[in-house]
């Protein structure tokens, strides 16, 4: 017999937050991860152990706007909507174009990719190098948390049962001299889960590096980023020397510890990750955001 599922689709964000406060529910935005996570036998509806709250229709979670220099992205914007939006940086659009196929992009959301906290989530390396902050909302109020604090491990996030991820904030998005780069390595250009993801950010004044950030995806339980290694490059000039590049690559070689799985081997992942880093550091010119 098919089990009954209790599902709420409430008219406003306030009503949805009140419901979440009353009852521990599974939030569904696009459902493209939730449905796979709870799938059961072919032809049988998924088994979701708690009541469901749908949030995909809430207009409060779909706004994209710029506040001063910060870009605010509603957590329930689908990938297809973001691809159409002129505020979204080209690097993020490039990452989105590698995700799944159009049908999934019409349902899947940026907030879902973050809250699902897969090591292979394609938007995550970029969101880490943008120093993304997350606005979490509940009936008790708002809190803002860095993405690197929010994501704690494989499918583990620091979210209270009554909180909704409302916005993703990309601070100081259009700083002069800032360049950002994204690369995903998978079996195909799209519709493939990443074997390795890499994002690099660099801000240059004249030829001097003022800020630099790197994040690697699918090579550890969460994105690999190191402030200590990044700091070593501040004040250096472009193009970097071979010795500087080798030092940074060697430092990441020590901390990147991928695993073998059905998609790739640890050796391949590490080799490719370091090659992408080397390529980014060797550039003589960087592409504008
Ligand atoms: C065929 C297929 C191909 C895919 N390919 C890729 C790919 O190439 N790259 C990739 O990165 N991913 C891929 N995915 C995974 C998925 O599409 C993405 O992770 C997507 O961004 C999830 O968004 P969603 O809105 O569907 O999340 P949902 O499934 O609705 O939710 C995912 C998780 O986040 C929680 N959640 C969602 N929104 C919120 C919110 N606003 N506040 C609090 N919690 C929330 C949910 O409770 C759940 O735990 C693929 C999935 C499928 C089925």
């Amino acid at each position: 017999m098919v089990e009954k599922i209790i599902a709420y689709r409430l008219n406003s964000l306030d009503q949805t937050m009140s419901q979440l406060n009353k009852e521990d529910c599974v939030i569904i935005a696009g459902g493209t991860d939730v449905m796979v996570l709870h799938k059961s036998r072919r032809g049988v509806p998924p088994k979701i152990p708690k009541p469901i709250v749908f949030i995909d229709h809430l207009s409060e979670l779909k706004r994209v706007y710029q506040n001063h220099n910060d870009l605010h992205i509603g957590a329930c914007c689908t990938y297809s909507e973001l691809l159409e939006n002129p505020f979204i940086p080209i690097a993020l659009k490039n990452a989105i174009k590698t995700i799944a196929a159009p049908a999934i992009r019409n349902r899947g959301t940026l907030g879902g990719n973050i809250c699902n906290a897969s090591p292979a989530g394609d938007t995550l390396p970029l969101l880490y190098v943008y120093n993304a902050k997350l606005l979490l909302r509940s009936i008790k109020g708002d809190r803002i948390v860095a993405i690197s604090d929010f994501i704690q491990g494989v499918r583990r996030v620091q979210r209270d049962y009554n909180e909704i991820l409302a916005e993703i904030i990309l601070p100081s998005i259009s700083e002069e001299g800032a360049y950002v780069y994204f690369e995903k390595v998978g079996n195909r250009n799209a519709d493939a889960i990443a074997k390795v993801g890499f994002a690099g950010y660099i801000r240059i004044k004249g030829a001097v590096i003022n800020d630099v950030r790197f994040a690697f995806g699918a090579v550890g339980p969460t994105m690999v980023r190191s402030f200590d290694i990044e700091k070593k490059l501040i004040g250096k000039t472009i193009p970097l020397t071979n010795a500087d590049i080798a030092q940074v690559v060697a430092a990441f070689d020590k901390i990147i510890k991928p695993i073998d799985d059905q998609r790739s081997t640890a050796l391949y992942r590490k080799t490719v990750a370091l090659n992408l880093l080397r390529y980014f550091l060797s550039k003589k010119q960087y592409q504008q955001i």
Side-chain angles (χ1 to χ4, degrees):
M1 200 177 73
V2 177
E3 281 170 46
K4 202 165 125 189
I5 295 177
I6 297 172
Y8 303 98
R9 192 177 182 85
L10 301 161
N11 284 336
S12 69
L13 180 58
D14 282 347
Q15 288 172 322
T16 306
M17 288 190 305
S18 296
Q19 186 58 42
L20 278 178
N21 199 53
K22 277 191 246 157
E23 201 175 5
D24 188 10
C25 296
V26 172
I27 293 175
I28 292 194
T32 60
D33 278 317
V34 172
M35 298 300 275
V36 174
L37 201 64
H38 298 288
K39 72 172 184 286
S40 40
R41 279 184 297 116
R42 192 182 284 254
V44 175
K47 279 204 167 87
I48 301 181
K50 296 178 193 171
I52 294 165
V53 167
F54 288 103
I55 59 167
D56 58 313
H57 58 296
L58 297 173
S59 57
E60 298 95 322
L61 301 178
K62 281 186 161 287
R63 291 196 311 144
V64 178
Y65 61 96
Q66 204 146 356
N67 186 9
H68 302 291
N69 212 2
D70 298 349
L71 180 64
H72 294 242
I73 306 173
C76 271
C77 291
T78 65
Y79 294 125
S80 301
E81 287 163 349
L82 295 177
L83 283 175
E84 297 288 312
N85 193 298
F87 284 119
I88 300 302
I90 287 170
L92 185 52
K93 287 188 176 175
N94 287 342
I96 289 171
K97 285 180 197 159
T98 71
I99 293 178
I104 294 290
R105 283 183 227 147
N106 288 342
R107 289 293 311 164
T109 63
L110 189 57
N113 205 228
I114 296 167
C115 294
N116 188 54
S118 159
D122 282 324
T123 66
L124 302 183
L126 267 179
L127 296 176
Y128 272 61
V129 299
Y130 279 125
N131 284 337
K133 291 188 265 173
L134 308 178
L135 174 68
L136 291 147
R137 185 161 286 164
S138 73
I139 61 159
K140 296 192 176 132
D142 287 352
R143 70 178 174 108
I144 291 183
V145 59
I147 189 165
S148 51
D149 293 330
F150 182 71
I151 297 181
Q152 310 232 304
V154 180
R155 295 188 195 282
R156 244 179 347 106
V157 295
Q158 192 211 72
R159 183 184 78 83
D160 281 342
Y161 75 97
N162 60 355
E163 286 180 320
I164 290 183
L165 171 59
E167 288 182 0
I168 298 100
I169 304 167
L170 307 186
S172 308
I173 191 68
S174 44
E175 279 196 305
E176 212 180 314
Y179 302 85
V180 72
Y181 169 77
F182 171 78
E183 196 68 59
K184 166 179 173 177
V185 177
N187 276 347
R188 294 177 291 263
N189 282 341
D191 217 359
I193 305 295
K195 294 170 190 273
V196 180
F198 172 79
Y201 170 102
I202 193 162
R203 185 158 48 81
I204 303 164
K205 190 159 188 202
V208 178
I209 299 177
N210 281 348
D211 197 356
V212 66
R213 308 167 199 165
F214 316 105
F216 299 85
V219 293
T222 61
M223 301 304 106
V224 176
R225 190 173 164 193
S226 164
F227 295 105
D228 286 341
I229 302 174
E230 292 170 3
K231 260 194 305 201
K232 292 196 174 98
L233 286 171
I234 309 291
K236 304 246 179 204
T237 49
I238 294 295
L240 289 165
T241 64
N242 288 341
D244 282 335
I245 296 171
Q247 202 186 7
V248 174
V249 172
F252 273 108
D253 191 2
K254 288 201 184 105
I255 61 167
I256 292 178
K257 297 188 168 110
I259 54 162
D260 292 319
D261 67 11
Q262 75 277 18
R263 276 193 281 278
S264 191
T265 63
L267 178 64
Y268 178 85
R269 285 190 159 114
K270 177 169 293 198
T271 307
V272 170
L274 296 180
N275 281 347
L276 290 171
L277 173 66
R278 202 176 284 112
Y279 171 74
F280 179 72
L281 292 172
S282 309
K283 276 175 178 271
K284 297 197 170 52
Q285 278 196 318
Y286 290 87
Q287 181 115 36
Q288 189 74 46
I289 294 175

